[in-house]
Amino acid sequence: MLFRKKTPIVQKHLVEQTVKSSIDHTSDVIAALADPILILDRDRVVKHANAAAMNLFGRVMVGRNIVQCMRQPNVIDAVEQVFASKLSWMGEVKFPAPVERHLSLHVALIGDGEGVAITVRDTTLVKRTEEMHSDFVANVSHELRSPLSALMGFIETLQGPAQDDREARDRFLNIMIQEANRMARLIDDLLSLSRVQIQEHVVPNDDVNIVAILKNITDILHMKADIREMMLNLYCSEEAYWVKGDADQITQVFQNLIDNAIKYGKPGTPVDVSVRSLERMPDKNVPAVAVDIVDHGEGIDENHIPRLTERFYRIDKARSRTLGGTGLGLAIVKHIIMRHRGRLQIESKVGVGSKFTAILPTKS
Ligand code: ADP
């Protein structure tokens, strides 16, 4: 019993010591926190603000009343509410300037009302990801809806007015197969994109011979180039260029880039594919292989270039559709190259043509 009675006294002493020393070092503890935090006293004066809070609110706050250094009336209201009710408050606040930010705020009473602690979590990235996700779903639904509506329209016409019109039936069936193919391509591209994005953090590890892949692709795409009276040229030495990669995905990168060069190049002009080695990748101290795909098409205005790899971004939507595009080809290319820790460079001149360069680190 004696032993039992003594223990809590020792523990209480220890706890008091710990609390006392942490109170003595409150500002150090607050400074060490990664998330923004503000401590106000009962007069609403900021007693402590860590570097993250200063960064976020962008001004010197310590020693000033919260009303003077915070423009958000809902935060001030929340502080008053917590002092009055002695209950914590949690809510979302939007800071419009200088860059719009979404913050999740938590205001809690300290002790019996000596002050409040305001902790902040920046949820901007989460909000943006949510918005991008819903934009993406809206885009996919829209892209699938138009071929689907066309199919439904033709089916109704074939069931009704064109039932006995053999010529119209053949014509409509032709369009229907094209629309169905468009939906199939879109689904294939969406699946490729999601597969690549899932694997993006894992660098592939197979030994891949870039030249062998390019020879295969150019053999396959020669026919398509012929139809547009274009020459598809592959320039490379007999040297084998090996990279650590995923052969199927690297094939997809060059298939998409060369296919685009054929689609967007002018009929009768050549498409040149050349392979060269780089001593160092741009901004990385590793050797690499660079593949340039050059076309002589209309070129791309520089305003569009940074956005080309966004999903569904097309300069001329109708043209991309007629050429059988989904608007996902370059997004797939970008993610595959990112997975391989490489770079995609795009140079273009309106009226002259474009050069897409895929740079992949070589096998060490
Ligand atoms: P798409 O299926 O529409 O070809 P991509 O993602 O492959 O989709 O390309 C996106 C857009 O970039 C295209 O719609 C086109 O406007 C532009 N683009 C891509 N490659 C070229 C090129 N070689 N020359 C001119 N424009 C190009």
Side-chain angles (χ1 to χ4, degrees):
M1 278 308 271
L2 255 176
F3 179 73
R4 273 191 167 182
K5 266 189 175 171
K6 264 188 175 170
T7 317
I9 295 166
V10 173
Q11 280 180 343
K12 190 168 174 260
H13 178 69
L14 275 175
V15 169
E16 275 171 0
Q17 280 285 313
T18 321
V19 169
K20 191 169 182 310
S21 60
S22 31
I23 287 172
D24 288 347
H25 295 102
T26 307
S27 54
D28 291 342
V29 173
I30 287 169
L33 296 174
D35 282 338
I37 177 161
L38 295 173
I39 306 285
L40 313 188
D41 67 9
R42 64 171 81 243
D43 298 324
R44 287 46 165 176
V45 171
V46 180
K47 299 306 273 186
H48 300 281
N50 65 356
M54 307 272 210
N55 271 343
L56 182 68
F57 300 113
R59 61 192 80 210
V60 180
M61 313 178 92
V62 177
R64 294 171 71 192
N65 192 293
I66 187 79
V67 181
Q68 293 171 301
C69 47
M70 181 87 69
R71 287 214 192 95
Q72 280 60 37
N74 36 5
V75 178
I76 294 158
D77 288 351
V79 167
E80 292 310 322
Q81 209 175 304
V82 171
F83 272 119
S85 68
K86 297 194 184 297
L87 296 173
S88 299
W89 180 92
M90 215 172 162
E92 301 282 325
V93 181
K94 195 158 91 175
F95 279 25
V99 182
E100 188 181 279
R101 310 191 83 148
H102 295 267
L103 304 175
S104 168
L105 252 73
H106 185 250
V107 186
L109 203 68
I110 298 176
D112 209 20
E114 293 99 86
V116 293
I118 306 176
T119 43
V120 184
R121 217 156 35 85
D122 192 341
T123 52
T124 313
L125 196 63
V126 179
K127 274 270 169 348
R128 268 204 205 129
T129 315
E130 281 170 5
E131 278 166 18
M132 272 167 63
H133 184 252
S134 60
D135 280 357
F136 180 60
V137 171
N139 274 332
V140 171
S141 317
H142 175 76
E143 296 287 334
L144 282 171
R145 191 174 295 281
S146 60
L148 187 63
S149 310
L151 280 176
M152 285 161 71
F154 285 122
I155 291 169
E156 273 170 24
T157 319
L158 286 173
Q159 281 176 331
Q163 212 166 25
D164 304 314
D165 183 341
R166 204 194 149 105
E167 195 205 320
R169 195 185 60 195
D170 288 350
R171 198 154 36 87
F172 292 163
L173 283 172
N174 241 335
I175 305 173
M176 285 167 77
I177 193 81
Q178 281 171 24
E179 295 296 326
N181 280 334
R182 183 141 81 92
M183 288 176 82
R185 271 198 309 276
L186 191 62
I187 289 165
D188 283 348
D189 279 358
L190 283 168
L191 287 175
S192 297
L193 189 59
S194 92
R195 224 174 289 130
V196 181
Q197 285 183 301
I198 288 169
Q199 301 168 326
E200 208 161 295
H201 61 289
V202 191
V203 183
N205 206 23
D206 293 339
D207 294 335
V208 181
N209 181 347
I210 292 281
V211 174
I213 285 185
L214 288 172
K215 280 186 176 155
N216 267 341
I217 298 170
T218 43
D219 282 348
I220 295 166
L221 290 176
H222 257 301
M223 281 212 306
K224 191 166 180 178
D226 278 349
I227 297 171
R228 309 200 70 217
E229 295 176 341
M230 295 167 95
M231 282 281 287
L232 181 53
N233 305 311
L234 174 61
Y235 300 103
C236 57
S237 58
E238 280 311 307
E239 195 184 333
Y241 293 91
W242 292 94
V243 298
K244 280 272 177 219
D246 174 318
D248 288 342
Q249 291 190 348
I250 291 181
T251 304
Q252 202 168 5
V253 164
F254 295 117
Q255 211 157 14
N256 289 358
L257 292 177
I258 300 172
D259 187 64
N260 275 352
I262 299 172
K263 277 193 316 199
Y264 299 107
K266 272 201 206 83
T269 61
V271 167
D272 298 323
V273 180
S274 43
V275 189
R276 58 195 163 96
S277 45
L278 293 181
E279 247 171 61
R280 289 184 341 109
M281 262 183 66
D283 11 295
K284 243 191 195 175
N285 202 9
V286 293
V289 53
V291 181
D292 299 311
I293 294 120
V294 178
D295 68 61
H296 301 271
E298 290 163 18
I300 306 159
D301 190 279
E302 62 180 338
N303 293 334
H304 293 294
I305 293 182
R307 301 200 56 193
L308 287 186
T309 54
E310 284 176 20
R311 294 176 287 198
F312 297 116
Y313 189 83
R314 285 163 285 194
I315 300 169
D316 180 344
K317 218 167 186 166
R319 176 143 182 248
S320 152
R321 272 214 187 118
T322 12
L323 294 170
T326 58
L328 293 173
L330 289 180
I332 295 172
V333 166
K334 180 185 85 176
H335 285 285
I336 295 179
I337 292 183
M338 271 165 49
R339 184 181 175 214
H340 285 76
R341 308 298 182 251
R343 299 269 184 284
L344 175 69
Q345 294 175 341
I346 308 172
E347 288 166 42
S348 191
K349 216 169 191 176
V350 176
V352 178
S354 311
K355 176 161 104 176
F356 285 73
T357 305
I359 303 175
L360 296 165
T362 32
K363 195 186 131 198
S364 44

